[in-house]
Amino acid sequence: MQLAKGIEWTTHVCTIIALLPEGKGLSVDALAEFFELPAAYLSKQMQALRRAGIAQSVRGKGGGYRLAQSPDAITLLDIVIAIEGPSPAFRCTEIRQNGPCGLERSECKRPCEIAAAFAAAEQAYRSALESKTLASIMQEAAMNSTPEHMMEIAGWVQRQSS
Amino acid sequence: MQLAKGIEWTTHVCTIIALLPEGKGLSVDALAEFFELPAAYLSKQMQALRRAGIAQSVRGKGGGYRLAQSPDAITLLDIVIAIEGPSPAFRCTEIRQNGPCGLERSECKRPCEIAAAFAAAEQAYRSALESKTLASIMQEAAMNSTPEHMMEIAGWVQRQSS
């Protein structure tokens, strides 16, 4: 089981476009350059964020992608669902209804105990990701960073979007 | 992100082979028939359980797979790791070290805040699966089942393994 690389990429990208001045955006090419990522693939991932209402595009000079919501309204779970879709990782195919001792469908109103256990684990995973907003990630990153490095990033964002 | 179907299959299989009398096993063909699963693919999954020390094979008449440990010593996490491997779903590729504002490797001793958040969520997922043993799943299933259905399963297991 592996999460799409796009999740790592777009989460990092979101922490950068969160720094943009009002009304400005960053192009996919600039973002791809900033993280040394393949622009064509990143472009698809950013479109997925746009469709999910996490990012939006700004036209014209200084245009490109920016966040569509405040960083404290976007969670890591939102980003995972935008990139991977909402389906659970464990998909019950009701094999308890198969074979010589299979249950009737009418006897299976309650979820299978195995499916229920996996659903509970996924709920724990999702809750943990839901508790982390972009704002909280950025705050932790800032605390672990140096003022020089943060100024360097802010300067790059400003130059690219002006 | 999707878990391999083998996880659903082998977890169900484990709840059946847990019912075997001492020294007996069930063939992959019998198990495939019981759940209407493709025998060749199930065989690969059962080999993975054997390599992980969850199942063992018994030779001779009435031979096949049986549990290698007590059902209360096998957790759902053990089965997931046997089938999917131990790698985390989120794999950090350290893109914070890339590009014009990239950090030096020596500045990255602490995990990236994004990677740390995903690791914490995966830990919550794994802890939930680790808290569920085969024995606890079987107990829940028994409570939600009827005596007739349990006798039916026990009878099938006995006939196949004798």
Side-chain angles (χ1 to χ4, degrees):
Chain A
M1 181 175 57
Q2 189 168 6
L3 283 172
K5 283 198 193 313
I7 291 174
E8 179 192 19
W9 297 359
T10 55
T11 307
H12 276 280
V13 161
C14 284
T15 65
I16 297 302
I17 59 178
L19 305 173
L20 282 162
E22 188 71 39
K24 298 287 185 180
L26 275 172
S27 70
V28 168
D29 283 345
L31 291 165
E33 186 203 328
F34 187 84
F35 288 116
E36 293 180 46
L37 297 173
Y41 186 32
L42 181 61
S43 175
K44 284 186 187 159
Q45 311 295 323
M46 293 308 296
Q47 284 166 35
L49 288 200
R50 189 169 52 73
R51 281 193 299 272
I54 294 170
Q56 60 186 0
S57 36
V58 178
R59 292 178 186 207
K61 190 174 178 302
Y65 282 107
R66 59 179 289 106
L67 291 183
Q69 298 175 54
S70 155
D72 61 8
I74 299 168
T75 72
L76 292 188
L77 182 62
D78 295 329
I79 295 174
V80 169
I81 291 174
I83 302 294
E84 293 273 1
S87 299
F90 182 92
R91 297 174 204 173
C92 175
T93 60
E94 287 287 340
I95 64 172
R96 62 181 170 167
Q97 295 179 28
N98 294 354
C101 302
L103 290 165
E104 294 299 319
R105 200 171 166 183
S106 60
E107 297 171 298
C108 295
K109 281 169 193 150
R110 188 193 288 267
C112 167
E113 294 72 21
I114 294 170
F118 277 94
E122 288 200 49
Q123 190 49 53
Y125 179 72
R126 288 174 174 235
S127 295
L129 292 181
E130 203 169 18
S131 75
K132 285 285 181 185
T133 63
L134 269 183
S136 68
I137 292 280
M138 291 169 68
Q139 201 165 27
E140 287 169 24
M143 286 190 320
N144 296 332
S145 183
T146 60
E148 292 74 22
H149 188 236
M150 293 184 63
M151 287 300 291
E152 200 186 344
I153 294 174
W156 182 88
V157 169
Q158 196 152 35
R159 281 193 306 280
Q160 293 294 325
S161 62
S162 61
Chain B
M1 182 175 58
Q2 188 168 7
L3 282 172
K5 284 198 193 309
I7 291 173
E8 180 193 18
W9 296 0
T10 55
T11 308
H12 276 280
V13 161
C14 283
T15 65
I16 297 301
I17 59 178
L19 304 173
L20 282 163
E22 187 72 38
K24 299 286 184 180
L26 275 172
S27 71
V28 168
D29 283 345
L31 291 165
E33 187 203 328
F34 187 84
F35 288 116
E36 293 180 46
L37 297 172
Y41 186 32
L42 181 61
S43 175
K44 284 186 188 159
Q45 310 296 322
M46 293 307 297
Q47 285 166 34
L49 287 201
R50 188 170 52 74
R51 282 193 298 272
I54 294 170
Q56 60 186 358
S57 35
V58 178
R59 292 179 187 207
K61 190 173 175 303
Y65 282 107
R66 59 181 289 107
L67 291 183
Q69 298 176 53
S70 156
D72 61 7
I74 299 168
T75 72
L76 292 188
L77 182 62
D78 295 329
I79 296 173
V80 169
I81 290 174
I83 303 293
E84 293 274 1
S87 299
F90 182 92
R91 298 176 202 169
C92 175
T93 59
E94 286 288 340
I95 65 172
R96 61 181 170 167
Q97 295 179 29
N98 293 355
C101 302
L103 290 165
E104 294 298 320
R105 199 172 167 180
S106 60
E107 296 170 297
C108 294
K109 282 170 192 150
R110 188 193 288 266
C112 168
E113 293 74 21
I114 294 171
F118 277 94
E122 288 201 48
Q123 190 50 53
Y125 180 71
R126 287 174 175 236
S127 294
L129 292 180
E130 204 169 18
S131 75
K132 285 285 181 185
T133 63
L134 270 183
S136 67
I137 292 281
M138 291 169 68
Q139 201 164 28
E140 287 169 24
M143 287 191 320
N144 296 332
S145 183
T146 59
E148 292 73 23
H149 188 235
M150 293 184 63
M151 286 301 290
E152 200 187 344
I153 295 174
W156 183 90
V157 168
Q158 196 154 35
R159 281 194 305 281
Q160 293 294 323
S161 62
S162 61

